[in-house]
Amino acid sequence: MSKANRPSGKAGPVRISKSAMALLPFADAASTELPLGRLLRLSLFQVSVGMAMVLLSGTLNRVMVVELGTPTWLVALLIAVPMLAAPFRALIGHRSDRHISALGWRRVPYIWFGTLMQFGGLAIMPFALLLLSRPDSFIGGLIAGAGAFLLTGIGFHVTQTAGLALATDLAPAEKRPRAVALLYVMLLVGMMISAFVIGGLLIEFSPTRLVQVIQGAAVLTMILNLVALWKQEARAPERTKAHPDAPSFGQLWHGFVRDGRNARLLTAIGIGAAGFAMQDALLEPYGGEILGLSVGATTALTGAWALGALIGFTLSGRSLARGRDPLRIAGAGLVVGLNAFILILFAAPFGSPLMLYMGASLIGLGLGLFSVGTLIEAMNLAKSETAGLALGAWGAVQATCAGAGIALGGALRDLIAMIAMNGDQITGATRATGYTSVYVIEILLLLAGLAAIGPLVGRNRKNTATSGDNAGQPFGLQEFPT
């Protein structure tokens, strides 16, 4: 065979690489200024955040409720503690927008100190859990646990807000929304991989193994974030001097929420986030207590959730490429969430782990669609000099309402279960009552989210590039299948 007719050895790998990139949601976010390889390396900080979120809201809540016997309401409260930092995400984003640094950096100092706090929280968390497992040191363990959860939460809120703002700095204006959306895809990839890896490591559960897993996550957080930050933000001399005429946070925030459409969008985001999040501290204990699943099997529920969310990001990316309205995508996510919670409701009476896994996947799918739709809408409202504020506002409302939903869900589950178990006979159905009641409330919240987001669709859009031909049509509950 002549050289001219001989197939090139590089053609196959190149073709495979291009096909793989085509399957990656928002891979078209790459640009000359921010190539895909550099953007994916930057996204490693999202992988570390996803790993921390799996540990806090997935593995540890199951271990504390089932293995350590900690009350569900207390575990839910601990998981919600990191959300205390969430309302300040808009302020964090604004401060990183205006940060004065002797080195000429805006975002790097925030990402670095956020990483240190994230590492510190994970490093002391195993010792707090050991104290929680002993009755004579329960109060000390509770205080240490709250401190560890709070430190970890502050760390990943600061890291994530500044990191997303850095991506908007690096990407050209027309690519910013999709670049930020790609970073959220990587957050879900990190959550999915972490859930399956942690679940596999904890199949043979022991306190020592749990300590090793958490400490390994702390070390990996530092490594991933250092690699992500390396040579990403250029030093700029103008960032070493203060600008006295720059508007204050209060002025910018007032201008942002003064628009009634923006305020309604944030309201819809908050309702939807709470509706999806109330189950965060309940899904794994539900699988363990009601369906008898192991620690590894219930941790895999988080992986199923993350896989569903990744599919949601893929579908939303393709829909946006076809010109669909982002808020229609968000509304579709709420509808998927409704069906997910109906499936989970029936998992207990049917004794079906499969229905539980399908429900967890659909929750992720619905949340993925909802998050992308509202995120793209928020990014369309942002300007480069206020990108941190816009992203911070989106993240602050979402995380705050999600945290409140987690805490409320745990408290309601315990209260309703206590009332239901007041009778003489305690059955499996009675034990499930607290969980299923919360799932019904989540269904009602998602319906309320649909009602809130409906009037926004297709009206007064500032960026018609992302809206399709149907953007101007009316949108409401009647347009969705029952």
Side-chain angles (χ1 to χ4, degrees), residues 266-403:
L266 294 179
T267 301
I269 291 170
I271 295 173
F276 278 111
M278 286 181 74
Q279 53 76 35
D280 274 9
L282 304 180
L283 199 60
E284 295 199 24
Y286 180 67
E289 183 179 354
I290 307 303
L291 298 178
L293 301 179
S294 66
V295 176
T298 55
T299 301
L301 285 170
T302 306
W305 174 91
L307 177 61
L310 183 58
I311 295 173
F313 270 69
T314 303
L315 294 177
S316 58
R318 293 180 178 179
S319 297
L320 288 168
R322 297 189 188 105
R324 283 200 66 187
D325 189 329
L327 291 181
R328 287 184 178 271
I329 296 173
L334 293 173
V335 174
V336 173
L338 291 172
N339 290 280
F341 287 114
I342 291 172
L343 260 181
I344 291 174
L345 277 174
F346 284 101
F350 281 96
S352 172
L354 178 60
M355 293 180 72
L356 183 61
Y357 279 102
M358 289 177 61
S361 299
L362 287 178
I363 289 174
L365 175 60
L367 182 60
L369 294 170
F370 178 76
S371 297
V372 168
T374 55
L375 175 63
I376 295 296
E377 185 68 14
M379 282 300 300
N380 285 335
L381 302 174
K383 301 176 182 178
S384 60
E385 65 271 13
T386 59
L389 175 65
L391 286 167
W394 178 85
V397 171
Q398 187 182 55
T400 303
C401 293

Side-chain angles (χ1 to χ4, degrees), residues 57-77:
S57 64
T59 305
L60 293 181
N61 90 77
R62 151 69 201 243
V63 168
M64 287 189 285
V65 170
V66 180
E67 273 70 31
L68 300 181
T70 310
T72 307
W73 70 267
L74 189 55
V75 176
L77 193 61

Side-chain angles (χ1 to χ4, degrees), residues 156-242:
F156 70 65
H157 281 305
V158 173
T159 299
Q160 192 177 58
T161 302
L164 293 173
L166 176 58
T168 66
D169 294 341
L170 299 176
E174 68 276 8
K175 295 284 188 178
R176 282 172 190 155
R178 304 182 75 79
V180 173
L182 178 60
L183 292 186
Y184 267 92
V185 170
M186 297 308 296
L187 171 69
L188 296 171
V189 169
M191 292 185 70
M192 183 176 63
I193 295 174
S194 300
F196 287 122
V197 170
I198 293 170
L201 292 173
L202 293 176
I203 289 177
E204 299 294 332
F205 177 79
S206 69
T208 302
R209 177 64 64 87
L210 180 64
V211 169
Q212 292 171 339
V213 168
I214 298 174
Q215 290 181 333
V219 174
L220 188 57
T221 293
M222 289 293 294
I223 295 173
L224 289 174
N225 288 6
L226 283 173
V227 173
L229 272 182
W230 184 254
K231 292 186 177 181
Q232 291 284 7
E233 185 177 22
R235 296 169 62 183
E238 64 270 14
R239 296 175 191 158
T240 62
K241 299 177 182 179

Side-chain angles (χ1 to χ4, degrees), residues 65-132:
V65 170
V66 180
E67 273 70 31
L68 300 181
T70 310
T72 307
W73 70 267
L74 189 55
V75 176
L77 193 61
L78 284 175
I79 295 173
V81 160
M83 302 306 174
L84 291 175
F88 300 100
R89 286 183 63 142
L91 178 60
I92 292 168
H94 169 72
R95 292 295 298 272
S96 69
D97 287 336
R98 306 295 178 187
H99 184 66
I100 306 302
S101 169
L103 296 175
W105 284 328
R106 286 196 301 174
R107 317 296 185 183
V108 168
Y110 284 86
I111 300 175
W112 172 241
F113 283 107
T115 299
L116 290 179
M117 289 186 283
Q118 198 174 327
F119 171 83
L122 291 175
I124 65 176
M125 195 173 292
F127 305 104
L129 294 179
L130 292 177
L131 292 175
L132 271 175

